[in-house]
């Protein structure tokens, strides 16, 4: 490594680094020696010239994403050790090397001390999504590490960073394969089978973070009429149908998602007549359901991506939850989620509370949910907790 650029923090700003928070905001910097390009490796020092951390430099309000609090060269062995550590955690979680589940998140950015890097594993296809130029620059190395780690359990590595990489560096980032060219995977999750298109699908292809919540749903479905709203490729719907729901309806506005939902139902041998999908707008569908359902799942996309959209997002959560709570049959169950990072657990709960109060139904909280443990949250970086869910009993 050439001499890394040195960044000196303002007095007092070393505190958050000493508490192992992985971001340096631009306002915390007193001086930069040299002019680093986006993605360069930089070393961070206190105003007393004490070494604090090493990370990737970037342009924007977060100036450094820290990947190490120990001085040393981030070479191939360094990145390998980090990814192997992440893999060992997935083994401990009974995900890596499991025959009932072969789809999981291998690397969850800050939660695995690899800020800016997401890697999802789809039964032989790894999908990488970089959120920093620093990680993007080492993508070939990362692909090589994955190849060595998985051996013949890996036949494709797809870099899907086009929409996630920061634009400021002026790089022309295109999604492409670093290994193989297969974009369709058939994966197993808790014994359910799903077809995943890593190229055309949303995010990296599948919403892996809901695995445990889909599993929890199974226990509530027997004999029930179930509505899955914002169903994407039918994750919750397949679990419901396989676990003896008498009827499952899936609603999503994306035609390719609905098409894949129908394929997923067939893959799981769900008898026709049990499931039906509707490619339509969720908000208008929810207005008309009357008392048709015993159980409703609401798993919308992030309504707020930024703080300025927060108020409207909370209104939207209230609106859909109120529609569901008002119309569920007595004794009904609602699985309701928010995946917006800027919506706090408390704010989400308040929106659902307002919905319940407006609906004037008796509502009790049965479970409070979050993302599956292969999406770990660093205790030093609480911002990494984004998925919030409630299971409600509507008397
Ligand atoms: N529950 C899913 C993930 C949902 S992602 C799973 O477990 O896999 C959110 C979904 O909402 C996307 O598929 C998107 O197409 C859909 N969506 C977004 N806006 C919508 C709207 N207004 N009406 C219906 N579906 C919508």
């Amino acid at each position: 490594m050439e001499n890394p650029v040195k960044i000196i923090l303002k007095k007092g700003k070393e505190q958050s680094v000493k508490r192992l928070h992985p971001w340096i905001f631009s306002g915390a910097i007193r001086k930069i020696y040299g002019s680093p390009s986006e993605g360069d490796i930089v070393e961070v020092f206190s105003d007393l010239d004490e070494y604090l951390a090493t990370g990737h430099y970037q342009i924007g309000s977060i100036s450094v994403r820290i990947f190490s609090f120990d001085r040393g060269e981030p070479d191939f062995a360094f990145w390998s050790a980090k990814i192997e550590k992440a893999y060992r955690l997935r083994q401990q979680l009974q995900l890596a090397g499991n025959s009932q589940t072969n789809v999981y998140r291998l690397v969850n950015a800050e939660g695995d001390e690899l800020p800016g890097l997401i890697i999802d594993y789809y039964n032989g296809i790894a999908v990488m999504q970089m959120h920093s130029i620093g990680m993007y620059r080492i993508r070939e190395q990362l692909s090589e590490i994955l190849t060595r780690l998985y051996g013949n359990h890996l036949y494709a590595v797809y870099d899907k960073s086009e929409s996630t990489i920061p634009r400021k560096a002026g790089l022309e980032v295109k999604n492409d394969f670093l290994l193989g060219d297969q974009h369709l995977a058939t994966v197993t999750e808790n014994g359910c089978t799903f077809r995943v298109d890593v190229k055309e699908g949303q995010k990296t292809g599948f919403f892996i973070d809901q695995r445990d919540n889909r599993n929890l749903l199974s226990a509530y479905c027997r004999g029930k009429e179930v509505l899955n709203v914002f169903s994407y490729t039918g994750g919750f719907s397949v679990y419901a149908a396989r676990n003896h729901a008498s009827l499952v309806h899936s609603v999503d506005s994306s035609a390719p998602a609905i098409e894949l939902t129908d394929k997923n139902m067939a893959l799981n041998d769900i008898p026709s007549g049990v499931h039906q999908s509707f490619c339509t707008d969720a908000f208008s569908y929810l207005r008309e359901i009357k008392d048709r359902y015993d159980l409703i799942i609401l798993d919308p996309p992030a309504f707020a991506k930024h703080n300025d959209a927060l108020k409207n997002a909370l209104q939207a959560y209230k609106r859909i939850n109120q529609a569901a709570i008002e119309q569920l049959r007595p004794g009904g169950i609602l699985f309701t989620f928010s995946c917006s990072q800027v919506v706090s657990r408390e704010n989400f709960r308040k929106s659902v509370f307002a919905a319940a109060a407006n609906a004037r139904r008796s509502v009790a909280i049965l479970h409070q949910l979050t993302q599956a443990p292969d999406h770990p949250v660093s205790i030093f970086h609480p911002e990494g907790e984004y998925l919030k869910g409630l299971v409600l009993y509507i008397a």
Side-chain angles (χ1 to χ4, degrees):
M1 179 172 66
E2 296 159 34
N3 271 350
V5 162
K6 187 168 173 177
I7 290 187
I8 311 281
L9 299 186
K10 290 177 184 162
K11 187 162 186 256
K13 294 295 183 189
E14 72 284 357
Q15 285 307 325
S16 94
V17 190
K18 286 192 168 168
R19 279 189 239 112
L20 306 183
H21 193 280
W23 295 345
I24 306 283
F25 290 98
S26 57
I29 294 176
R30 194 186 84 202
K31 187 170 169 53
I32 300 178
Y33 287 95
S35 46
S37 307
E38 193 155 37
D40 280 358
I41 289 166
V42 293
E43 287 187 337
V44 181
F45 290 77
S46 73
D47 70 317
L48 298 173
D49 213 25
E50 176 193 5
Y51 168 85
L52 297 170
T54 307
H56 285 132
Y57 180 74
Q58 64 179 65
I59 302 163
S61 83
I62 302 171
S63 291
V64 184
R65 287 173 182 260
I66 295 170
F67 52 73
S68 180
F69 295 92
D70 298 309
R71 218 165 179 182
E73 183 157 355
D75 54 10
F76 188 84
F78 171 88
W79 299 115
S80 274
K82 287 220 171 213
I83 291 186
E84 280 160 23
K85 187 173 163 201
Y87 183 80
R88 281 196 300 275
L89 172 58
R90 275 61 184 180
Q91 280 179 316
Q92 201 169 330
L93 295 171
Q94 315 271 308
L95 293 169
N98 178 338
S99 61
Q100 284 300 298
T101 298
N102 52 31
V103 47
Y104 55 87
R105 177 153 292 187
L106 172 68
V107 172
N108 190 43
E110 284 82 0
D112 285 294
E113 296 166 2
L114 286 161
L117 180 64
I118 297 289
I119 305 178
D120 288 341
Y121 179 79
Y122 293 100
N123 190 21
I125 305 181
V127 184
M128 302 204 284
Q129 243 176 6
M130 280 44 139
H131 292 257
S132 81
I133 301 287
M135 287 296 178
Y136 184 74
R137 281 203 201 158
I138 59 166
R139 65 192 186 286
E140 300 281 354
Q141 276 189 57
L142 294 170
S143 176
E144 176 61 26
I145 291 167
L146 293 175
T147 307
R148 293 188 192 184
L149 180 66
Y150 283 104
N152 58 10
H153 295 290
L154 188 75
Y155 54 85
V157 177
Y158 188 53
D159 170 13
K160 200 177 184 184
S161 305
E162 197 174 309
S163 62
T164 58
I165 206 87
R167 286 275 152 245
K168 296 168 199 85
L171 277 186
E172 270 298 309
V173 174
K174 289 265 170 271
N175 294 338
D176 62 356
F177 282 95
L178 300 169
L179 172 77
D181 58 3
Q182 267 287 345
H183 63 100
L184 290 173
T186 303
V187 303
T188 305
E189 185 188 90
N190 293 318
C192 299
T193 307
F194 295 98
R195 193 85 168 137
V196 177
D197 185 336
V198 302
K199 218 167 160 180
E200 302 301 329
Q202 297 181 29
K203 300 280 173 82
T204 64
F206 194 60
F207 290 83
I208 305 172
D209 52 356
Q210 289 283 25
R211 180 195 315 107
D212 290 358
N213 303 330
R214 287 192 275 262
N215 212 18
L216 177 68
L217 175 81
S218 308
Y220 285 95
C221 289
R222 186 173 287 274
K224 302 293 185 204
E225 302 202 320
V226 174
L227 170 64
N228 181 12
V229 192
F230 306 100
S231 55
Y232 187 48
T233 52
F236 283 100
S237 304
V238 166
Y239 276 68
R242 280 180 57 114
N243 288 282
H244 316 290
S246 55
L247 172 128
V248 182
H249 285 166
S250 303
V251 174
D252 200 283
S253 56
S254 152
I258 288 290
E259 215 174 283
L260 211 46
T261 301
D262 294 338
K263 283 198 183 128
N264 284 331
M265 285 294 160
L267 272 178
N268 287 277
D269 298 324
I270 305 302
S272 60
V274 170
H275 176 258
Q276 203 179 343
S277 41
F278 302 90
C279 185
T280 185
D281 175 63
F283 289 84
S284 36
Y285 190 91
L286 276 168
R287 272 199 291 274
E288 308 293 339
I289 55 177
K290 308 255 169 11
D291 59 352
R292 179 77 181 89
Y293 300 104
D294 304 298
L295 193 157
I296 297 178
I297 301 127
L298 296 177
D299 182 24
F303 285 149
K305 296 232 163 77
H306 303 285
N307 261 320
D308 30 356
L310 184 60
K311 207 170 144 221
N312 286 343
L314 294 177
Q315 280 299 324
Y317 287 119
K318 190 177 98 185
R319 218 157 11 114
I320 55 169
N321 281 284
Q322 187 174 332
I325 293 170
E326 277 173 349
Q327 300 177 85
L328 268 163
R329 286 179 184 149
I333 297 283
L334 175 63
F335 276 65
T336 182
F337 297 95
S338 163
C339 61
S340 310
Q341 194 167 23
V342 295
V343 174
S344 66
R345 189 163 283 280
E346 197 174 339
N347 270 337
F348 176 58
R349 191 160 151 173
K350 277 187 191 153
S351 296
V352 179
F353 158 79
N358 283 355
R360 300 199 66 76
R361 297 277 303 262
S362 154
V363 176
I365 298 173
L366 305 182
H367 303 270
Q368 306 196 42
L369 308 176
T370 187
Q371 63 229 42
D374 50 336
H375 298 61
V377 181
S378 161
I379 203 159
F380 308 111
H381 180 257
E383 297 91 329
E385 185 187 346
Y386 63 94
L387 186 63
K388 297 144 290 269
L390 293 169
V391 181
L392 303 177
Y393 175 63
I394 323 292

